[in-house]
């Protein structure tokens, strides 16, 4: 992961990009979302709700300094790359804590998904696994990697409005040869040189859903996709087969 991070920094810097790295372990970033994240006290201590309190504190400028600093980085960023080793089919606890705390300002009923506050920004996951690709195939023991990625890419990144590039996956580097490591990193560097020209992963826009009926797909949308062999997305499959590679390839529908 350090090598992948360094490769990304070098490749993007060479293109004239300004790159800022948040090394969460080096920063000793606090993962737990607590009342300490809110300065000046919470509004309703008896019925404490972190999501409500953090949103209010964000609006009033009462967030802890470490959250403010990370949010300032987000405001400046055009692209956010999350580099991590996959732990238990998800991100490590410290990165999940970063998402819980820093992205709290983006958790809103009125502005989410295609209308989310980061809709003008792009994001992507870049991660290593401790297993070969076959383990996360549709016949592998862990199941389809597209299903694994849905909560991260849709439930977090797309929810916040980010346009999401297909992930960069480094399969089982721990057992690979030095030559395979070099090949992986060279592929990553090459991809970064052309990343701005890539399409992003498809997610159904917010206006496909009826707010008055519990955000179910509108009848006209269901009718539009009725003749298609697979569902709309991994998470919204309409009782049909899951769309292949809809979380790992750009522009999938």
């Amino acid at each position: 992961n350090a090598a992948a991070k360094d490769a990304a920094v070098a490749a993007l810097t060479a293109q004239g990009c300004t790159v800022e790295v948040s090394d969460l372990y080096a920063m000793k970033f606090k993962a737990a979302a607590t009342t300490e994240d809110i300065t000046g006290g919470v509004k309703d201590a008896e019925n404490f709700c972190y999501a409500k309190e953090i949103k209010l504190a964000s609006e009033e400028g009462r967030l802890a300094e470490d959250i403010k600093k990370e949010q300032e980085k987000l405001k400046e960023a055009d692209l956010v790359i999350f580099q991590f080793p996959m732990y238990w089919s998800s991100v490590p606890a410290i990165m999940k804590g970063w998402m819980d705390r820093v992205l709290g300002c983006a958790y809103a009923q009125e502005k989410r998904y295609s209308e989310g506050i980061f809709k003008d920004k792009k994001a992507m996951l870049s991660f290593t696994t401790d297993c070969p690709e076959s383990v996360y195939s549709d016949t592998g023991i862990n199941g389809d990697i597209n299903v694994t990625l849905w909560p991260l890419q849709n439930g977090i990144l797309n929810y916040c409005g980010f346009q999401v590039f297909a992930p960069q996956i480094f399969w089982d580097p721990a057992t690979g040869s030095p030559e395979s490591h070099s090949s992986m990193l060279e592929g990553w560097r090459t991809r970064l040189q052309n990343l701005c020209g890539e399409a992003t992963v498809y997610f159904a826009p917010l206006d496909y859903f009826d707010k008055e009926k519990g955000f179910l797909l509108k009848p006209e949308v269901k009718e539009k996709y009725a003749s298609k062999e697979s569902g709309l997305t991994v998470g919204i499959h309409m009782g049909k087969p899951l769309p292949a590679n809809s979380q790992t390839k750009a522009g999938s529908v």
Side-chain angles (χ1 to χ4, degrees):
N1 281 277
K5 179 264 293 180
D6 290 342
V9 170
L12 293 170
T13 301
Q15 297 177 60
C17 301
T18 299
V19 181
E20 187 159 4
V21 176
S22 289
D23 186 332
L24 301 184
Y25 290 106
M27 293 160 57
K28 294 183 170 49
F29 189 82
K30 182 174 82 75
T34 68
T35 56
E36 294 174 1
D37 296 344
I38 301 161
T39 62
V42 300
K43 300 295 184 181
D44 188 356
E46 186 175 346
N47 301 292
F48 177 67
C49 173
Y50 185 85
K52 290 181 180 179
E53 293 281 358
I54 207 72
K55 187 171 184 296
L56 183 60
S58 179
E59 293 168 353
E60 297 177 352
R62 297 187 297 105
L63 294 174
E65 282 303 312
D66 60 342
I67 297 178
K68 285 183 181 179
K69 288 178 181 178
E70 293 305 295
Q71 288 182 347
E72 282 301 314
K73 294 176 187 177
L74 278 180
K75 288 178 185 177
E76 295 296 322
D78 296 309
L79 167 67
V80 182
I81 299 175
F82 295 87
Q83 180 67 55
F84 60 95
M86 180 174 274
Y87 285 0
W88 294 105
S89 296
S90 187
V91 298
I94 196 168
M95 183 172 284
K96 182 55 167 63
W98 184 96
M99 293 171 171
D100 291 346
R101 300 178 67 223
V102 177
L103 298 180
C105 62
Y107 189 79
Q109 297 291 314
E110 63 278 8
K111 288 187 177 183
R112 52 182 171 169
Y113 296 112
S114 54
E115 297 302 319
I117 68 170
F118 296 129
K119 64 181 181 179
D120 296 324
K121 301 180 184 296
K122 293 181 170 66
M124 71 181 301
L125 306 179
S126 174
F127 59 91
T128 58
T129 72
D130 65 350
C131 59
E133 187 172 1
S134 59
V135 173
Y136 276 101
S137 68
D138 56 359
T139 55
I141 192 168
N142 281 358
D144 194 331
I145 188 66
N146 291 282
V147 177
T148 301
L149 293 175
W150 177 256
L152 293 172
Q153 295 193 155
N154 177 72
I156 298 176
L157 301 183
N158 181 43
Y159 184 98
C160 294
F162 286 110
Q163 301 167 58
V164 184
F165 284 123
Q168 182 73 19
I169 308 175
F170 299 89
W171 295 106
D172 199 18
T175 61
S177 65
E179 291 76 19
S180 69
H181 293 166
S182 295
S183 179
M184 286 180 182
L185 293 173
E186 186 56 33
W188 180 216
R189 283 189 285 265
T190 300
R191 184 183 178 195
L192 287 166
Q193 290 171 6
N194 303 290
L195 190 64
C196 290
E198 285 190 14
T200 51
V201 171
Y202 176 79
F203 296 98
L206 192 59
D207 62 10
Y208 271 23
F209 303 89
D210 190 333
K211 179 180 179 181
E212 303 303 320
K213 295 183 178 179
F215 287 98
L216 289 173
L217 277 176
K218 293 176 179 178
E220 58 268 30
V221 177
K222 292 180 69 175
E223 184 178 350
K224 176 182 176 181
Y225 287 90
S227 61
K228 295 187 179 291
E229 292 184 6
S230 62
L232 185 61
T233 63
V234 168
I236 304 153
H237 54 85
M238 304 166 63
K240 298 182 176 186
L242 301 182
N245 304 320
S246 69
Q247 291 296 292
T248 58
K249 291 208 171 104
S252 299
V253 179

